Amino acid sequence: QKEVEQNSGPLSVPEGAIASLNCTYSDRGSQSFFWYRQYSGKSPELIMSIYSNGDKEDGRFTAQLNKASQYVSLLIRDSQPSDSATYLCAVNNGSSNTGKLIFGQGTTLQVKP
Amino acid sequence: DAGVTQSPTHLIKTRGQQVTLRCSPKSGHDTVSWYQQALGQGPQFIFQYYEEEERQRGNFPDRFSGHQFPNYSSELNVNALLLGDSALYLCASSFVVSMNTEAFFGQGTRLTVV
């Protein structure tokens, strides 16, 4: 079992729809969770961080965390073609306190006009 | 406010050669982590430097080594390059080593080994 799992996609949604990206993790001791957006050929860009169970909203983005189910998700409302990218879920290594991030392989999102 | 900067942006090396990649962290950040990202994969943790010492290391051979300078900048060295070392090398900086620290990436160095 991989430490952080994501569906590689591609996930295709029409412009204006809600895109839902999911991530599961194996280490129950993990404490912090991050979503990065990566455009093709570019480096990852931090878009959301979440540390407590529940929802965290920032503009069109909502991160959801359920530690009991070891599940993190990212919702993108009113999806735009510019949101087309690979979304990486990252989890802090819960067994250490060093900020080491473990990444999933990423989900490719395609927003069609 | 300058973000994380890496140099060079692209590099082509021959098998067996050695390479040095450089990273300057975001202003105010004191911790630098290095990641390797193969095509179609998520970044893989190589190691992390804090207070000029290697704090944690991922599952990479000793051919991968690093250094952090007093100004918090860092270098990643790879010896005896293999074709499989071809990847995007990412530097991430953060402030204070903690679980909740947000890490910000530089633009990366694309290394091609031929």
Side-chain angles (χ1 to χ4, degrees), chain A residues 29 31-32 34 36 38 41-44 46 49 51 56 88 92-94 96-101 103-105, chain B residues 35 37 40-45 48 55-58 88 90 97-108 110:
Chain A
Q31 297 292 324
S32 48
F34 306 91
Y36 287 83
Q38 187 172 28
K42 302 296 184 182
S43 65
L46 180 65
S49 59
Y51 310 113
K56 178 181 178 183
L88 296 161
N92 180 276
N93 184 348
S96 69
N97 191 25
T98 63
K100 168 186 174 181
L101 295 176
F103 285 84
Q105 70 176 53
Chain B
Y35 292 81
Q37 187 177 25
Q41 302 298 315
Q44 297 292 314
F45 177 80
Q48 181 182 80
R55 283 282 298 233
Q56 192 171 3
R57 187 178 185 91
L88 179 66
L90 297 162
V97 178
S98 75
M99 287 189 293
N100 292 349
T101 299
E102 293 181 338
F104 298 89
F105 285 91
Q107 77 274 32
R110 174 74 61 186

Side-chain angles (χ1 to χ4, degrees), chain A residues 12-58:
Chain A
S12 183
V13 300
E15 183 175 356
I18 296 175
S20 178
L21 305 161
N22 305 314
C23 171
T24 58
Y25 60 95
S26 61
D27 186 348
R28 283 196 171 274
S30 300
Q31 297 292 324
S32 48
F33 309 86
F34 306 91
W35 284 98
Y36 287 83
R37 177 176 62 198
Q38 187 172 28
Y39 292 112
S40 181
K42 302 296 184 182
S43 65
E45 173 192 10
L46 180 65
I47 54 173
M48 289 288 285
S49 59
I50 186 166
Y51 310 113
S52 303
N53 279 329
D55 295 359
K56 178 181 178 183
E57 186 175 320
D58 184 0

